[in-house]
Amino acid sequence: MKIEALTVALRPRSAWEAVELGSALVRRHAKAIWTPWLLLTLPLFAVLNAAAWALDVLWLAGLAMWWLKPAFDRIPLFVLSRAVFGDVPTPRQTLVAQRRWGVSSMLGYLTWRRLSPLRSLNLPVDLLEGAHGSEARDRRRALGAPVNGVGILLTLVCLHFEVAVYLGTASLAMVFVPDEYVKEALTRAWAVLREAPPWFLLLSNALGWIATSLIEPFYVGAGFGLYLNRRTEVEAWDIELALRRLRDRLLRGAAPLLLVFAFGVALMPTTVRAQDADDTAAQSAEDDAEESEGEEDIARVTLEQVFGTIADDQGLRDGVDAQKTPQPAPPAVEVSPGTGTPGGGTTGTAGAGHALADDGRLRRAVKQAYADPTVTPKRKVVTWKKREVKKKPDEPRRQPPPLAGVGEVLATIGSYGLWILVAALAGVLLWTSPRWLKWFRGGLAREGREADEIRRSDADAMQAPLPDDIPTAIRRLWREGREREALAMLYRASVETMVARTQAILVPGATEAEVLRASRRLPLGEDRDAFARAVRTWQYAAYAHAFPDATDFETLLRDLAARFGWSGHVRSDESVPA
């Protein structure tokens, strides 16, 4: 693998930055990903749904397409793994590679690992590195352990995106339904959903395939971005790449210097005198001999100093001298059975008998030599300590303050007195409940108020019936300076006429917007426009206190009277408050 051919900037990133890197790679190579995706999944979708339609199990086709998603994930992973090194495969190469590439790992991903939330992170490890068994498990654990949480969240996010695309595409048809038919359309849609006809299941499978085709490549790309980031962190790809670039730069700059050095070495004289070589060899031999003698002297002096300063015994000195001088090999002797000594003697040679006789003093001398801090810098010291440690003297007990008892009493009263007060208050409320409880029920007889204390508006009283000659009554109110009442009667008459013609049902207190929506059922567009002008004129007068001039008012009244036939007006029994 040539990491210097990577087309992305290698640097340690956070996990979510790595997810964004993978999504950017998918967007960059969208054509190379979705073309083989459609060429592979669309025919398979058609074949599975045709077979399921023939068997009358269309739901099984959708389930099969969803279950085969790990096999489809190989397409974006194959493209991204090549494109990141600058080699973008063609759709034909991608489809041909699906025959064998990653087939050995698909058994696990289509069976026991199918529901794993870490599929996007584990697929690159298994398919790109080709590990199997325990080696693959260790590799997945090493690369995925620090980002397993991000991998699980990535799966949940992409799952929600797929559901959102599915539901959004399914509800797209409701955008084209008019407002007055929304309720009826929803009712029919619920009935179709309960019946589940074959065409509905086929449409559901198609929407699922569309959602998967839109979101799944981004899911695989985000997992591949996490994989690249973890390889960069674990194997230090960014540092290795920087060092390789530095080496290349140095080699390009050092080539002329190496050429000059090679020419210089070639032109230097290479003849060496034999006498100088012999002198050098002799001098080296003498130096080696001196160094070996010096080492022997140092060893001998050190051993002699150590054992000489410890004891002045002649036997110890003889033993040391015996160790320094080479001894001839002892003659072969026969050992008598059962005695353990040659020829039935008691000890060995006579020279060593005196030294072995003082074996106790030798051991003490050696022990004392090893006790020297320069020879053994670490040593163990054993000391005795008393088991009972002196206890610290008890501190003098502080005397309580003089008013401590009073404070405790007040604290007790404050602790329990509040509960007593709450209980007393609850008892008082229960005792007086017959007096105040009926206030909440509205049963308390209230005193009547004077008539002049309340100013009632026309809307508070019962609406009077409309007169037979509506235009004349409206003009009379207008001439008397009661413009608001004239426009209120105009609005009431218009609404009642509209209700009578459209047979609409308006709730009491219907707003102007509801009335306008009901007026859409008027058959003629001119009638709807005239009614809308009447409603707007009333709104300006009621809320903005803006009244039309006499000419506009008269024009509107004549238009409405002519269109609604108020000269021989027949009213319905219903009335709408203005």
Side-chain angles (χ1 to χ4, degrees):
M1 179 174 57
K2 299 180 180 180
I3 63 173
E4 61 271 8
L6 284 169
T7 59
V8 297
L10 288 180
R11 62 177 179 84
R13 293 177 171 88
S14 64
W16 292 112
E17 285 181 321
V19 169
E20 177 59 28
L21 173 64
S23 302
L25 289 173
V26 173
R27 292 194 299 269
R28 178 186 297 178
H29 306 287
K31 183 178 179 181
I33 292 175
W34 268 286
T35 300
W37 177 282
L38 296 177
L39 292 176
L40 178 64
T41 60
L42 187 57
L44 184 60
F45 172 79
V47 170
L48 289 178
N49 280 273
W53 190 303
L55 299 175
D56 197 16
V57 284
L58 274 172
W59 60 269
L60 189 59
L63 178 62
M65 290 295 295
W66 176 80
W67 196 266
L68 291 174
K69 284 169 66 174
F72 301 150
D73 292 345
R74 295 181 301 158
I75 295 176
L77 185 59
F78 180 83
V79 174
L80 293 179
S81 62
R82 272 65 179 174
V84 78
F85 289 100
D87 182 17
V88 182
T90 62
R92 179 181 178 83
Q93 293 174 345
T94 304
L95 292 175
V96 170
Q98 302 308 306
R99 301 176 183 175
R100 299 180 180 178
W101 188 70
V103 174
S104 59
S105 301
M106 283 297 102
L107 178 62
Y109 283 101
L110 293 177
T111 52
W112 65 86
R113 282 205 298 268
R114 174 59 186 85
L115 301 179
S116 172
L118 299 174
R119 187 176 76 247
S120 64
L121 185 59
N122 293 336
L123 268 177
V125 179
D126 294 335
L127 270 64
L128 299 180
E129 299 184 7
H132 298 283
S134 59
E135 182 180 354
R137 287 193 298 270
D138 296 340
R139 188 63 176 168
R140 287 194 296 267
R141 189 181 301 110
L143 291 179
V147 292
N148 280 344
V150 178
I152 295 174
L153 287 178
L154 174 64
T155 303
L156 293 177
V157 169
C158 291
L159 176 62
H160 283 78
F161 270 115
E162 284 194 15
V163 174
V165 172
Y166 179 87
L167 297 179
T169 310
S171 60
L172 187 62
M174 298 302 298
V175 177
F176 304 98
V177 178
D179 294 342
E180 56 267 20
Y181 299 111
V182 170
K183 185 176 180 180
E184 182 180 356
L186 290 177
T187 304
R188 295 188 61 182
W190 177 251
V192 171
L193 182 62
R194 295 183 61 183
E195 294 175 3
W199 65 266
F200 179 78
L201 294 177
L202 181 62
L203 178 62
S204 177
N205 293 342
L207 294 180
W209 173 75
I210 292 173
T212 300
S213 299
L214 288 176
I215 304 301
E216 193 68 14
F218 288 102
Y219 175 65
V220 178
F224 181 70
L226 285 174
Y227 170 77
L228 278 182
N229 190 55
R230 285 296 299 150
R231 289 287 299 268
T232 302
E233 292 176 353
V234 173
E235 302 175 15
W237 279 2
D238 52 340
I239 300 176
E240 181 180 355
L241 184 59
L243 292 177
R244 288 187 181 184
R245 291 173 179 172
L246 180 60
R247 182 199 62 185
D248 296 340
R249 188 165 59 250
L250 291 177
L251 289 178
R252 287 193 300 268
L257 297 179
L258 291 176
L259 186 59
V260 172
F261 179 75
F263 276 110
V265 171
L267 296 177
M268 289 179 61
T270 57
T271 57
V272 181
R273 290 182 301 172
Q275 184 63 34
D276 296 341
D278 296 339
D279 295 342
T280 303
Q283 185 66 27
S284 300
E286 293 177 1
D287 293 340
D288 294 340
E290 292 178 359
E291 289 178 0
S292 60
E293 292 178 1
E295 291 175 357
E296 293 177 359
D297 293 341
I298 292 172
R300 185 183 302 114
V301 171
T302 302
L303 184 64
E304 190 172 354
Q305 288 176 350
V306 170
F307 287 99
T309 55
I310 293 175
D312 293 330
D313 189 81
Q314 184 63 31
L316 179 60
R317 177 66 60 185
D318 294 340
V320 171
D321 294 338
Q323 294 292 333
K324 291 190 292 183
T325 57
Q327 300 291 332
V333 295
E334 294 181 0
V335 180
S336 301
T339 60
T341 59
T346 58
T347 60
T349 59
H354 185 69
L356 294 177
D358 298 330
D359 185 58
R361 276 179 290 185
L362 178 61
R363 286 195 299 269
R364 288 194 299 271
V366 171
K367 183 177 180 181
Q368 187 176 359
Y370 277 110
D372 189 356
T374 59
V375 178
T376 307
K378 295 182 180 180
R379 57 180 178 173
K380 183 178 179 181
V381 179
V382 180
T383 57
W384 290 88
K385 289 186 178 180
K386 295 183 178 180
R387 294 184 62 181
E388 296 182 359
V389 182
K390 291 184 178 180
K391 297 182 179 179
K392 297 182 179 179
D394 297 335
E395 296 181 357
R397 188 174 182 181
R398 296 182 179 179
Q399 296 295 331
L403 299 179
V406 177
E408 293 179 0
V409 172
L410 293 177
T412 304
I413 294 175
S415 176
Y416 296 98
L418 292 177
W419 292 108
I420 295 173
L421 182 61
V422 170
L425 182 60
V428 171
L429 291 176
L430 292 176
W431 182 54
T432 59
S433 60
R435 298 183 180 180
W436 54 264
L437 188 58
K438 55 186 177 182
W439 296 349
F440 296 96
R441 299 174 184 173
L444 182 63
R446 299 181 180 180
E447 299 179 356
R449 297 182 179 178
E450 297 293 336
D452 56 352
E453 292 182 1
I454 301 176
R455 182 179 179 183
R456 297 182 180 273
S457 63
D458 296 337
D460 295 332
M462 197 68 181
Q463 292 289 344
L466 291 173
D468 295 334
D469 192 356
I470 296 175
T472 303
I474 293 174
R475 289 189 182 96
R476 184 173 61 252
L477 292 174
W478 185 270
R479 286 193 299 268
E480 292 175 359
R482 299 160 65 182
E483 292 86 355
R484 182 184 179 87
E485 296 178 9
L487 293 175
M489 184 177 293
L490 179 67
Y491 175 67
R492 282 185 55 204
S494 303
V495 171
E496 290 195 4
T497 305
M498 182 272 298
V499 170
R501 289 190 178 185
T502 60
Q503 298 299 320
I505 300 176
L506 296 177
V507 297
T511 62
E512 288 82 358
E514 294 173 346
V515 170
L516 285 173
R517 282 196 294 269
S519 68
R520 296 176 184 173
R521 300 182 183 181
L522 290 172
L524 298 178
E526 293 80 1
D527 294 346
R528 292 194 295 269
D529 295 340
F531 182 80
R533 289 201 310 271
V535 174
R536 284 196 298 270
T537 303
W538 163 247
Q539 287 178 327
Y540 288 143
Y543 303 112
H545 301 284
F547 300 97
D549 54 14
T551 305
D552 295 339
F553 173 75
E554 185 63 26
T555 303
L556 178 62
L557 180 58
R558 288 180 181 179
D559 191 11
L560 292 174
R563 293 190 175 280
F564 292 161
W566 284 344
S567 58
H569 177 63
V570 179
R571 296 182 296 102
S572 63
D573 295 336
E574 298 178 355
S575 63
V576 178

